[in-house]
Amino acid sequence: RIINGELGGNYYFFVNSPRFMNKMITNCHLTDDNCRVIYSDSNETKLRIKRGKPSDAPKKINFITSCAFEGCDFYDENGKIVIVSDSSRSNTLVDISTQFLQIAGRIRNSKYRGHIVHVLSTTRYSNKSSYEDFKKMMEENIQEEKLLIEDLENMKVLDHKIQLAAKADLKFYQIDKEAKTITADFNRCKIDLYNYRILNSDYSSMTHLRKQYEKNNIKIESWTFNTANPELIPMDDITCFAD
């Protein structure tokens, strides 16, 4: 609808995921003529649209990752901001009290300044369990993985052990297929617990989200609930091009 001119203005999608950007570019048939992508120079991901800069001319659709959430200014009188919180990627779920407010001021001269669209869905943390229940469940998961690794250690053939560990989709162990090593990474547990605290407060329900908006002086103009799932972007992985 944006490309066809049904929706006026230039849209700036702030989403911290080149993978998400790649899905949109592919499935919506976007080109260098109508789309700009801005993500970190240190990210080796190669998209179908060349990497842009904040100083480049605006396009109808502009995708921007966290490299420009803070400190980068955009100038576009017709710029409209859309913040995308993709529930399948926890790194895209912006903190309302910090990143959200930073993004809100990125387009300096827009006539739509102050009007933000926040597109979001519930997360895997969205349940009725308490933080302590979630922590207990995680500790049980860690113990299950420990027992699995102990069983694998008894295998004589190293290649088979690595293959089985890789297939197990372990959360708290890193598998290095080249070095043929299995290393515990319990920092992931701390990160997951931190995410639970943040996401269970902000994104688990509209009530919690509303409280966060109000706490940070963000006025809610309207809610739009879409539960019909009319036309979803295919969820199959689309491989990004690498150098």
Side-chain angles (χ1 to χ4, degrees), residues 65-169:
T65 67
S66 61
C67 71
F69 282 10
E70 303 176 15
C72 290
D73 293 335
F74 296 86
Y75 293 89
D76 183 355
E77 292 183 357
N78 297 309
K80 295 181 176 181
I81 290 178
V82 179
I83 299 176
V84 179
S85 297
D86 179 5
S87 64
S88 66
R89 288 285 179 270
S90 62
N91 56 296
T92 70
L93 300 174
V94 300
D95 181 7
I96 303 300
S97 64
T98 55
Q99 288 181 311
F100 191 100
L101 297 178
Q102 288 286 341
I103 293 170
R106 292 281 61 84
I107 305 178
R108 294 300 188 184
N109 62 335
S110 173
K111 59 186 177 184
Y112 304 105
R113 183 177 171 86
H115 289 80
I116 312 295
V117 175
H118 191 188
V119 181
L120 61 111
S121 57
T122 55
T123 72
R124 74 182 186 88
Y125 302 93
S126 303
N127 52 50
K128 296 181 180 180
S129 65
S130 66
Y131 174 80
E132 292 303 322
D133 289 337
F134 183 79
K135 183 178 180 180
K136 181 179 178 181
M137 179 186 68
M138 177 170 294
E139 290 172 347
E140 291 174 353
N141 291 340
I142 291 175
Q143 186 60 29
E144 289 175 0
E145 292 192 1
K146 282 183 177 180
L147 292 175
L148 174 60
I149 295 300
E150 289 175 3
D151 289 340
L152 292 177
E153 290 295 338
N154 295 324
M155 296 185 65
K156 295 181 180 180
V157 182
L158 182 58
D159 286 338
H160 290 172
K161 178 173 70 174
I162 298 300
Q163 289 174 6
L164 289 174
K167 289 181 180 179
D169 192 24

Side-chain angles (χ1 to χ4, degrees), residues 55-66:
S55 57
D56 293 341
K59 301 290 180 68
K60 290 298 293 181
I61 294 179
N62 306 266
F63 290 114
I64 303 158
T65 67
S66 61

Side-chain angles (χ1 to χ4, degrees), residues 26-73:
T26 301
N27 289 285
C28 298
H29 309 292
L30 303 179
T31 68
D32 284 295
D33 292 331
N34 56 33
C35 180
R36 174 174 55 153
V37 294
I38 298 173
Y39 57 105
S40 174
D41 291 336
S42 62
N43 190 318
E44 296 181 357
T45 300
K46 187 76 172 181
L47 300 179
R48 289 173 171 82
I49 292 177
K50 65 182 180 180
R51 195 190 319 250
K53 298 179 180 179
S55 57
D56 293 341
K59 301 290 180 68
K60 290 298 293 181
I61 294 179
N62 306 266
F63 290 114
I64 303 158
T65 67
S66 61
C67 71
F69 282 10
E70 303 176 15
C72 290
D73 293 335

